[in-house]
Amino acid sequence: MMFDDVYVLAKGGVCVYSGHPNEIRQHLSQHSASNDVHKDLFPIEELIKYSCLDHNNFQVKNLVQATKTKILDKNSYNLNEETQLVLDGIPNNRVRFSIHSIWILIIRYCYFIRGFQWIHLLIFPLCLLIDGLIMGLIFDPKIALPSGCINLEDDFNNTCARTEQQLTDESDLRTNFAYTVTHLNMFLNLIMLQSALMFSKDFVYFLNEHRNGWYSTGAFYVMKISIEILPLFLIAFLFAYEINIYEVVRPRIYFWIVALFILGAMALQGAGYLLSILATGDFTTLITYFVGLSTFAVMLSNSTSPVHRLHYIYQFLSCLSPFRFVFEALILLEYGFGRCGRKQIQVILYKLHLTHEEDDLFFSILMLVVNIIVYRLLAFLVLWIKSNPYQNRRTRADRILYHHGTLAPSNATIPGLSCHNEFTIHQISI
């Protein structure tokens, strides 16, 4: 009696009653073949006795037919008035963007990380920290001391008579250049790979849940970029602390390194999301895309060959490489801004065409922000297109109706449905 309505099934899945509990006794009295409805029993117990019988039972068939007639008579008017025929089926559910959905997803994803995803979330930062420690042991911090400045009047006249100190400084310059390129590529590539692998696992679950209308594409994407930004800040501070050997020559450069690492990693996180969406969860395809994009970004990073010497198409494509702008900003901070005298030039900056220090540093930071916007926005657009396919349902249904309306009759003859001389029935007696 606590229920507003009950729905009772008999063996075989047929319905023997549907309605309010108060009407069970009346239902049994009207449609029961036998008149043995006991008044001293609860009506539901009497009905359950019938429901224990097989669906082929005569009494069960009577109850099923009466219930079916009652349901159809009761709902026929409501169905016609409150529903509308859709030519191509029921539309998919779509949920609007909401902050509440983001908060629920963040809480759920934290539980998911704690139970499963923590392995992938920790293994890449651990690799970065180990890499930073190894590089600190391999490279001598003294490689940051040579300024690489040459005097336009004196040094060009003494190119043949090189002192041992000058040769050592040149070697340290090359080593420091390789040191900067190595730790930069290691950090940015591992961040991009981590983002791509983690997003590829979440992407499959997202498609299933979004198809059911649980939350919007925007809510899922905002949750991802929000929950992965905190570990990024932590690993950037730790890794920059390990590889920072420039504090002696450039005080407070540590915070610049952290800021540049964070900006570059945020851009490459968006690139990792984009690769995962394009790969659609396939690991082999994802790794192929990652190797291709990483090679492209490193080759156009101004660390292998000066960008200003490349074709103008490659110069334009290099603007989409966060590696380039993080590298240029780090080189400017290491060797620019007053390290050379009035009549001196810095060799590395001169070869890389970074002669306007303040303007070049501002341009690098600005382009990192642009890359963040481009890659993250592009990843969201591709995600939205893949998860919300455009379906003009009425146009498709009209095409189907038109196809059936213009379908030509078939010339095939089906035996047994028309006169056909070759169709015979052979009876075999055993």
Side-chain angles (χ1 to χ4, degrees):
M1 299 307 297
M2 296 173 61
F3 293 95
D4 296 328
D5 289 286
V6 293
Y7 193 84
V8 183
L9 300 180
K11 286 185 177 180
V14 294
C15 179
V16 295
Y17 180 75
S18 176
H20 196 275
N22 288 333
E23 301 175 359
I24 295 179
R25 186 181 298 276
Q26 180 181 0
H27 178 74
L28 292 175
S29 301
Q30 293 178 354
H31 305 289
S32 176
S34 60
N35 297 323
D36 56 349
V37 179
H38 302 287
K39 296 182 179 180
D40 56 341
L41 295 177
F42 289 106
I44 186 63
E45 294 181 357
E46 189 73 17
L47 184 62
I48 288 176
K49 290 182 180 180
Y50 289 109
S51 68
C52 293
L53 302 175
D54 190 77
H55 66 280
N56 293 321
N57 183 270
F58 176 75
Q59 177 61 51
V60 174
K61 289 183 177 180
N62 288 340
L63 294 175
V64 169
Q65 184 61 36
T67 304
K68 184 183 299 183
T69 303
K70 177 183 177 181
I71 293 175
L72 294 176
D73 292 341
K74 178 180 178 181
N75 296 328
S76 61
Y77 174 79
N78 294 334
L79 290 175
N80 294 330
E81 293 294 327
E82 298 180 1
T83 59
Q84 181 179 0
L85 177 64
V86 180
L87 292 177
D88 193 27
I90 302 174
N92 294 329
N93 295 325
R94 288 294 181 266
V95 180
R96 293 183 179 273
F97 176 84
S98 67
I99 303 298
H100 183 65
S101 298
I102 297 175
W103 177 245
I104 293 177
L105 287 174
I106 289 176
I107 297 176
R108 194 186 72 165
Y109 197 73
C110 290
Y111 282 103
F112 178 62
I113 291 176
R114 187 183 68 178
F116 173 74
Q117 198 77 322
W118 63 270
I119 300 176
H120 302 84
L121 192 63
L122 292 181
I123 188 171
F124 290 97
L126 184 61
C127 291
L128 281 174
L129 295 179
I130 295 175
D131 174 68
L133 292 175
I134 294 175
M135 293 182 66
L137 296 175
I138 295 176
F139 292 90
D140 189 352
K142 294 181 180 180
I143 61 177
L145 297 180
S147 63
C149 300
I150 60 174
N151 191 291
L152 296 178
E153 298 179 355
D154 299 333
D155 291 351
F156 283 135
N157 296 326
N158 299 320
T159 55
C160 295
R162 297 290 184 91
T163 64
E164 184 177 353
Q165 183 61 39
Q166 288 176 331
L167 295 176
T168 303
D169 291 344
E170 290 181 3
S171 177
D172 289 342
L173 283 175
R174 297 190 187 94
T175 306
N176 184 63
F177 186 89
Y179 176 75
T180 303
V181 173
T182 302
H183 70 66
L184 172 63
N185 291 339
M186 180 67 69
F187 180 83
L188 296 182
N189 275 312
L190 283 180
I191 291 295
M192 181 169 62
L193 181 60
Q194 178 193 25
S195 301
L197 291 178
M198 292 183 64
F199 197 92
S200 64
K201 295 181 177 295
D202 301 334
F203 181 69
V204 178
Y205 296 106
F206 162 73
L207 289 180
N208 294 330
E209 296 173 353
H210 178 70
R211 190 182 298 115
N212 296 332
W214 289 10
Y215 46 82
S216 66
T217 306
F220 169 76
Y221 193 74
V222 172
M223 180 274 297
K224 282 293 295 181
I225 63 178
S226 300
I227 206 167
E228 291 187 3
I229 196 67
L230 293 179
L232 175 61
F233 272 79
L234 179 61
I235 190 60
F237 274 94
L238 295 177
F239 187 74
Y241 179 79
E242 290 182 336
I243 57 93
N244 181 22
I245 60 175
Y246 309 103
E247 205 69 29
V248 178
V249 297
R250 180 74 65 192
R252 294 181 297 275
I253 194 177
Y254 168 74
F255 297 101
W256 281 99
I257 297 176
V258 171
L260 292 172
F261 278 174
I262 291 175
L263 292 177
M266 289 178 65
L268 289 172
Q269 274 187 341
Y273 299 159
L274 179 61
L275 296 181
S276 300
I277 299 169
L278 294 176
T280 321
D282 184 72
F283 179 77
T284 304
T285 306
L286 175 61
I287 296 301
T288 304
Y289 288 163
F290 167 76
V291 173
L293 180 60
S294 177
T295 304
F296 156 79
V298 173
M299 293 295 292
L300 299 179
S301 64
N302 208 14
S303 60
T304 56
S305 60
V307 172
H308 68 277
R309 296 182 181 178
L310 301 178
H311 192 271
Y312 66 92
I313 295 179
Y314 294 109
Q315 293 182 22
F316 172 76
L317 293 177
S318 68
C319 295
L320 299 177
S321 173
F323 289 82
R324 170 192 170 184
F325 301 108
V326 178
F327 170 73
E328 290 182 353
L330 288 175
I331 291 296
L332 284 168
L333 291 171
E334 293 171 12
Y335 294 110
F337 298 99
R339 287 199 68 179
C340 295
R342 185 172 59 89
K343 294 183 179 182
Q344 293 179 330
I345 61 172
Q346 214 286 332
V347 177
I348 297 179
L349 297 182
Y350 180 78
K351 288 185 176 181
L352 298 179
H353 210 259
L354 300 174
T355 55
H356 303 86
E357 298 171 354
E358 294 183 359
D359 295 338
D360 291 333
L361 181 61
F362 175 77
F363 178 74
S364 297
I365 296 175
L366 178 63
M367 290 306 298
L368 284 174
V369 175
V370 172
N371 274 264
I372 293 173
I373 297 174
V374 169
Y375 279 112
R376 289 181 177 263
L377 182 60
L378 187 61
F380 173 73
L381 291 178
V382 176
L383 176 65
W384 186 85
I385 292 172
K386 275 186 168 288
S387 59
N388 301 276
Y390 176 74
Q391 296 178 351
N392 192 331
R393 309 179 70 86
R394 188 166 297 278
T395 303
R396 178 174 178 270
D398 291 339
R399 289 200 307 268
I400 294 174
L401 293 177
Y402 175 77
H403 171 73
H404 288 290
T406 58
L407 190 65
S410 175
N411 295 325
T413 302
I414 302 177
L417 298 182
S418 62
C419 295
H420 188 59
N421 295 330
E422 298 179 0
F423 177 69
T424 58
I425 299 177
H426 298 277
Q427 183 176 2
I428 301 175
S429 300
I430 301 177

